[in-house]
Amino acid sequence: MAFRLQAVFGLAPRALFPGLYRSVEDAVMAQAADLDRRLGARQDYAALTKRRLLTAMTHRASGDLPRA
């Protein structure tokens, strides 16, 4: 559906529904923070890979990196 809206209106869903996007982003970031807490002090490959993803998510959400 999101791609259809973008094709019809020429805008990303984030631009069409900014309030909805913010609320979804907030919920996803809360889940990401929970995952980071659950990873604790783990240093195995899977934990480090997840932390890299979480770090990139944080940068995108805070505007430090271009959004896809």
Side-chain angles (χ1 to χ4, degrees), residues 1-17:
M1 181 57 122
F3 292 126
R4 291 177 184 172
L5 289 169
Q6 189 163 349
V8 170
F9 297 107
L11 295 170
R14 171 177 63 240
L16 291 170
F17 307 104

Side-chain angles (χ1 to χ4, degrees), residues 4-64:
R4 291 177 184 172
L5 289 169
Q6 189 163 349
V8 170
F9 297 107
L11 295 170
R14 171 177 63 240
L16 291 170
F17 307 104
L20 177 60
Y21 182 86
R22 275 190 300 278
S23 67
V24 169
E25 184 179 55
D26 289 347
V28 169
M29 294 308 292
Q31 292 173 335
D34 182 55
L35 174 58
D36 187 51
R37 280 189 295 277
R38 286 186 284 124
L39 289 173
R42 285 181 41 192
Q43 294 295 314
D44 57 280
Y45 178 79
L48 294 174
T49 300
K50 290 173 185 177
R51 280 213 174 82
R52 281 193 295 274
L53 175 62
L54 295 172
T55 298
M57 288 172 62
T58 302
H59 288 294
R60 282 191 301 274
S62 67
D64 293 343

